[in-house]
Amino acid sequence: MESLCFEIPDCPSGDVERLERELRVSGPLAQVLVRRGLGEPARARAFLAAEEEHPPTAFTDIEEAVEPILRYANSGERITIHGDYDVDGVCSTAVLVRVLRRLGANVDWYLPDRASDGYGLSLNTVERLAAAGTRLLVTVDCAITAVAEVARAVALGMEVVVTDHHTPLPDGALPDAPIVHPAICGYPCPDLCATAVAYKLAQALQSAATQRGSVCDGRALEEDLDLVALATVADVVRLVGENRTLVRRGLRALAGTAKPGLRALMEVARVDPGKLNERSLGFALAPRLNAAGRMHRADAGLELILTEDPARAAQVARELDRANHERRQVETRIRYEAEAQIAALGERAAYVLAGEGWHAGVIGIVAARLAERNRRPVVLIALDGNIGKGSGRSIEAFDLLAGLTACGGHLRRYGGHRAAAGLEIERGRVEEFAEAFAAYAERVLMPADMLPVERVDAVVGCGDLGMELAEELQTLAPFGRGNPGVSLLVADATFRDVRPMGEGKHARFTLESGDECPPTRARGVAFGLGVRLGVDEGEPAEATFTLEVNEWQGVSEPRLVLRRARPTVQASTASPAGKDEELVLFA
């Protein structure tokens, strides 16, 4: 059996009791807050409130970006917004197009084609835009590394403003243009996605225009928080600080959105606007919006957001739904072929896999699935002629961009960040890159980095696992990177009455804990495991769960979802009440 480690961070009983008393929260929620570094009542209260927000002026020199944009908006000369083909790139483009239209600007946009243009701002695109009459080029979700491309745009007579959130070049070189970038410009929340950056720039534009006597509708900008929330979740940025505020407010904006395209998208995805959460964004809406750029061109996604015609919105939403279905089929085929390559390669610290005919727009999704399953960084390369286009995904302990930089001599180009990156490579260099990348990962990764670790947030008994706690845990949402779903450990668990459901893909069970007679019980489910829960029925176990509020046919009830389970191998020092725990690693 594969080793499984339960990590239970320290949780001083005094901190737990203080939060229970001062915040009037339950013991399990207090444990979660303490273990997540929020043991001080003021910090815990601020986190739960999710009201952190900073003004656009917190970006250093943002006025240098505002001035040329407003100047060209007033002159009527053409402004082009250059975006990207994923959800974040499409939504950030839409935010700036919408605010500039309200300001009366002559604005159009350009979204690169994944297959022909590749990622980011290219020299060919710069020359085409200059020839077409663009006078001001504003980039969103790209171009922080486009030093040569921006210089060429300036040489051709264009002014440029760069807005981005990606990692700059390793040598620190930046485009010679006004820059709006949360990490580079000292913004208090450096983890903003590109759409949040565009939203902040839109706020600055609207404020400056108002000061100059223009009449601006502040409510229209507030309505675009639906796009900010969608992109923030889709781009998997850290859901901490201001990002939590933006997603919470954005979910409310999306529930009542007036955008025909987003309402049509929710309809084809069968998402109830009244029950929106971060999962709705990440697993229902974002994949369909992403499908346009993955399978065809991203313009359809942008058209969906910008259209005011409900009939056209419904038509485009159906097109995106079909594209998403096509994407899933292609993804399955590539995943099977990639898994066969992993089996042939055997155990490695990192995998570089390449295939003829693999779809460049889908390999990133497959790389993410394989990295999660194998707990190794994975790069997939779609070969086409003499060039391969690659997409990589990583694990928490491995900096993917640093790995590509270390192997950069084998690559034509690359870019991205710690968790995800893209690259181009000559066909003849794939094998040597694969060896170099695996060797680098072997040097920097420790064996423990590649083992499954289940971090425990609270130690509970079955008696705690009811609707009251399920609803209380929702105050920690939205969940995602930096704020994962809550993991509840039942240290004395026993599974009973395990039965298959969902054509055998899933299981339901009764969970027992404690020494009471009769024992305390709770009902639970396990997804994707069949009836193989990791322990035998009736066997003493340690198991972690997520506790959710499940709504079905108008009825709300608590739903206990199994995360991981293992046979009890030693007595836990953690008590259900969360008292006097030490760091416990079950190896």
Side-chain angles (χ1 to χ4, degrees):
M1 179 185 296
E2 181 181 56
S3 297
L4 170 61
C5 179
F6 284 155
E7 178 185 347
I8 310 179
D10 186 33
C11 188
S13 59
D15 291 348
V16 172
E17 292 166 357
R18 183 167 56 165
L19 290 184
E20 289 182 72
R21 182 176 61 254
E22 296 194 23
L23 270 63
R24 299 182 181 276
V25 298
S26 69
L29 178 56
Q31 288 185 59
V32 177
L33 292 167
V34 170
R35 288 195 171 95
R36 294 192 175 191
L38 299 168
E40 287 295 323
R43 290 192 64 203
R45 189 177 288 110
F47 181 86
L48 294 173
E51 294 176 348
E52 181 177 331
E53 189 172 6
H54 308 287
T57 52
F59 285 94
T60 304
D61 298 329
I62 194 172
E63 64 277 1
E64 294 183 6
V66 169
E67 188 279 326
I69 295 174
L70 287 184
R71 174 161 39 88
Y72 280 96
N74 292 331
S75 72
E77 295 178 276
R78 181 181 298 173
I79 302 173
T80 298
I81 311 300
H82 183 296
D84 189 23
Y85 39 65
D86 66 358
V87 171
D88 198 17
V90 169
C91 289
S92 52
T93 301
V95 167
L96 284 190
V97 168
R98 283 169 56 83
V99 72
L100 287 173
R101 282 179 172 176
R102 292 194 295 271
L103 293 174
N106 174 13
V107 59
D108 64 6
W109 62 84
Y110 184 85
L111 299 181
D113 177 70
R114 189 186 294 263
S116 60
D117 295 319
Y119 168 75
L121 180 65
S122 71
L123 288 173
N124 287 338
T125 298
V126 165
E127 291 172 356
R128 287 199 303 270
L129 293 177
T134 293
R135 300 292 294 127
L136 174 65
L137 175 62
V138 182
T139 73
V140 292
D141 200 23
C142 66
I144 198 62
T145 61
V147 176
E149 292 81 359
V150 169
R152 179 59 176 161
V154 173
L156 290 172
M158 288 189 283
E159 287 194 57
V160 181
V161 171
V162 172
T163 80
D164 200 355
H165 71 133
H166 290 98
T167 304
L169 292 169
D171 63 5
L174 296 173
D176 187 11
I179 293 172
V180 185
H181 186 297
I184 293 172
C185 298
Y187 193 75
C189 181
D191 298 313
L192 294 182
C193 71
T195 305
V197 175
Y199 183 80
K200 291 295 176 177
L201 178 57
Q203 284 183 319
L205 289 169
Q206 186 165 279
S207 175
T210 301
Q211 291 174 8
R212 298 180 188 186
S214 297
V215 178
C216 300
D217 184 0
R219 291 173 300 177
L221 183 57
E222 188 80 7
E223 290 169 0
D224 283 346
L225 281 169
D226 50 13
L227 302 177
V228 177
L230 180 55
T232 299
V233 172
D235 222 51
V236 200
V237 296
R238 288 170 51 81
L239 291 183
V240 296
E242 189 173 14
N243 281 338
R244 279 173 51 75
T245 305
L246 292 171
V247 173
R248 276 202 182 175
R249 292 175 59 196
L251 284 168
R252 291 195 293 269
L254 182 57
T257 186
K259 296 182 178 69
L262 292 185
R263 299 201 70 83
L265 191 65
M266 286 188 279
E267 184 174 350
V268 298
R270 298 178 182 176
V271 169
D272 183 345
K275 300 176 183 177
L276 280 166
N277 58 26
E278 67 277 5
R279 291 183 61 84
S280 307
L281 305 186
F283 294 98
L285 303 185
R288 288 169 170 81
L289 198 57
N290 248 336
R294 292 190 185 281
M295 305 306 299
H296 306 291
R297 286 193 62 94
D299 301 78
L302 183 57
E303 181 187 1
L304 179 79
I305 293 171
L306 294 178
T307 185
E308 298 294 334
D309 181 354
R312 179 57 181 159
Q315 182 182 4
V316 176
R318 290 192 296 269
E319 291 173 2
L320 294 183
D321 193 49
R322 288 192 293 270
N324 190 52
H325 179 71
E326 178 187 355
R327 185 269 305 170
R328 288 198 299 265
Q329 292 178 320
V330 172
E331 177 189 335
T332 299
R333 176 181 62 82
I334 296 174
R335 179 167 55 83
Y336 285 157
E337 294 176 8
E339 287 173 340
Q341 290 187 28
I342 289 177
L345 287 169
E347 189 77 10
R348 288 194 170 197
Y351 292 103
V352 175
L353 315 169
E356 198 78 47
W358 286 0
H359 197 297
V362 178
I363 55 175
I365 304 175
V366 179
R369 302 269 194 271
L370 297 178
E372 181 180 8
R373 176 174 299 180
N374 294 280
R375 290 173 301 283
R376 306 286 192 279
V378 175
V379 175
L380 263 65
I381 299 174
L383 297 173
D384 183 12
N386 292 323
I387 301 298
K389 293 185 177 180
S391 187
R393 298 294 185 271
S394 194
I395 58 177
E396 190 67 29
F398 186 83
D399 186 333
L400 181 58
L401 184 59
L404 296 185
T405 301
C407 305
H410 302 287
L411 306 173
R412 286 166 54 99
R413 59 185 298 213
Y414 64 91
H417 46 77
R418 181 183 183 90
L423 61 88
E424 285 186 8
I425 187 172
E426 295 173 5
R427 177 188 288 265
R429 307 201 71 173
V430 169
E431 187 172 344
E432 61 189 44
F433 165 63
E435 294 299 326
F437 187 68
Y440 175 83
E442 185 75 37
R443 291 195 300 272
V444 301
L445 284 173
M446 302 295 291
D449 295 333
M450 297 177 280
L451 291 176
V453 176
E454 178 72 354
R455 190 179 188 279
V456 171
D457 289 303
V459 184
V460 299
C462 276
D464 297 310
L465 302 175
M467 191 63 166
E468 184 176 354
L469 179 59
E471 291 178 335
E472 190 180 30
L473 292 176
Q474 287 302 304
T475 61
L476 298 169
F479 298 113
R481 181 169 167 244
N483 185 42
V486 175
S487 177
L488 304 173
L489 173 67
V490 178
D492 55 351
T494 306
F495 292 93
R496 305 284 188 191
D497 195 25
V498 180
R499 298 185 182 186
M501 66 179 195
E503 299 180 347
K505 296 179 182 178
H506 317 300
R508 63 177 183 268
F509 55 83
T510 298
L511 180 73
E512 296 181 353
S513 75
D515 298 326
E516 296 90 347
C517 187
T520 307
R521 294 187 174 92
R523 291 185 299 172
V525 294
F527 294 117
L529 300 175
V531 294
R532 300 183 302 276
L533 306 184
V535 295
D536 294 331
E537 187 169 338
E539 181 180 13
E542 300 156 338
T544 54
F545 302 88
T546 298
L547 182 61
E548 306 172 343
V549 176
N550 184 46
E551 296 186 6
W552 177 250
Q553 295 182 340
V555 177
S556 297
E557 62 180 5
R559 181 168 70 177
L560 191 63
V561 182
L562 177 66
R563 293 168 61 98
R564 294 183 181 271
R566 57 161 296 149
T568 301
V569 292
Q570 69 180 62
S572 169
T573 63
S575 67
K579 316 295 185 184
D580 303 320
E581 292 92 334
E582 298 176 346
L583 178 67
V584 180
L585 295 178
F586 297 103

